[in-house]
Amino acid sequence: TLANGVSHSPTEQFTRNCRRRGYTIDVDLEPIKEVADRLAFIAEREGKPVVGYHALTDLRLYCHRVAGVVGLMFCKVANVTEPRAAAYAADLGAAMQLTNIVRDISDDASAGRIYIPQDVLRRAGCSADSNALSQPAGLLRAALQLLKEADRLYASGRRGLRFLPLRSALAVAVALELYRGIGSEFRRRARKSQNPWAKRIYVSPLR
């Protein structure tokens, strides 16, 4: 696992050992390093307050570093040769991470963390600081803005499915729709004047 932010070292060692023994391991270690380095930074800040990013572009970079690069690694694993596929795969990973952030806003807030960028909070009529947590209406508007950005990235990710082998494309398409379903359920609750964060959102492929 990469979750502890340091396990890229065993991954690198394993890959190099295989290559020394004559096995072909077509793994690009750069995305793995990028994920691990970012998770190490997150782990270092664990328990410390986070009050948003300055701009949506900053949050997009965060999402790329912790999830978009997973799409890049998947392209390698699936033996995708089309160069254009990488950007679509990275967008899909970032969209999923944005969805996670929206779903977990309440849980993160209880730990003193706000990942919503300050410019998004301001456009939603919220204070661009920890006071946003006491402004639920504005916080909801900000969350819906993030879901709109996620929708844009999902659309991009869907355009990349044509570059994947059929079985991989089907698997990714299911994952894409499941994650989009989280956003759809969030919006449904919001339309019904329910607290979208009152109960954790789960979706099923059988739904």
Side-chain angles (χ1 to χ4, degrees), residues 176-196:
L176 186 157
E177 292 305 323
L178 284 173
Y179 262 83
R180 281 190 71 249
I182 294 173
S184 296
E185 174 61 15
F186 186 96
R187 290 185 174 106
R188 187 192 69 80
R189 293 183 185 182
R191 285 195 300 270
K192 290 191 172 185
S193 300
Q194 299 173 351
N195 178 356

Side-chain angles (χ1 to χ4, degrees), residues 2-5 11 38 53 64 81 90 122 130 144 149 157 172 195:
L2 293 170
N4 59 9
T11 304
R38 189 61 189 174
Y53 291 86
H64 171 77
T81 57
R122 291 191 186 95
S130 58
L144 292 172
E149 173 66 8
V172 172
N195 178 356

Side-chain angles (χ1 to χ4, degrees), residues 11 22-23 42 60 101 123 169 194:
T11 304
Y23 294 100
I42 294 170
R60 279 280 288 108
I101 287 171
R123 285 198 299 271
Q194 299 173 351

Side-chain angles (χ1 to χ4, degrees), residues 1-13 32 36 39:
T1 176
L2 293 170
N4 59 9
V6 297
S7 45
H8 58 303
S9 297
T11 304
E12 291 178 278
Q13 191 62 49
I32 296 175
L39 290 177

Side-chain angles (χ1 to χ4, degrees), residues 72-94:
L72 302 182
M73 289 187 283
F74 181 83
C75 286
K76 283 289 186 179
V77 172
N79 295 314
V80 177
T81 57
E82 169 57 57
R84 289 176 293 173
Y88 295 124
D91 280 350
L92 178 55

Side-chain angles (χ1 to χ4, degrees), residues 97-192:
Q97 183 63 27
L98 271 178
T99 302
N100 281 338
I101 287 171
V102 170
R103 181 188 62 185
D104 297 337
I105 282 174
S106 181
D107 291 341
D108 288 331
S110 66
R113 299 185 183 88
I114 304 175
Y115 290 98
I116 304 176
Q118 294 173 15
D119 61 347
V120 174
L121 288 170
R122 291 191 186 95
R123 285 198 299 271
C126 273
S127 301
D129 54 30
S130 58
N131 290 325
L133 302 178
S134 61
Q135 301 166 341
L139 203 60
L140 177 58
R141 287 193 295 270
L144 292 172
Q145 285 185 37
L146 292 187
L147 284 180
K148 185 175 181 180
E149 173 66 8
D151 284 343
R152 184 185 70 79
L153 295 170
Y154 280 125
S156 174
R158 188 180 289 107
R159 287 194 293 273
L161 293 177
R162 67 186 187 275
F163 300 124
L164 299 178
L166 180 58
R167 291 182 64 181
S168 296
L170 290 174
V172 172
V174 169
L176 186 157
E177 292 305 323
L178 284 173
Y179 262 83
R180 281 190 71 249
I182 294 173
S184 296
E185 174 61 15
F186 186 96
R187 290 185 174 106
R188 187 192 69 80
R189 293 183 185 182
R191 285 195 300 270
K192 290 191 172 185

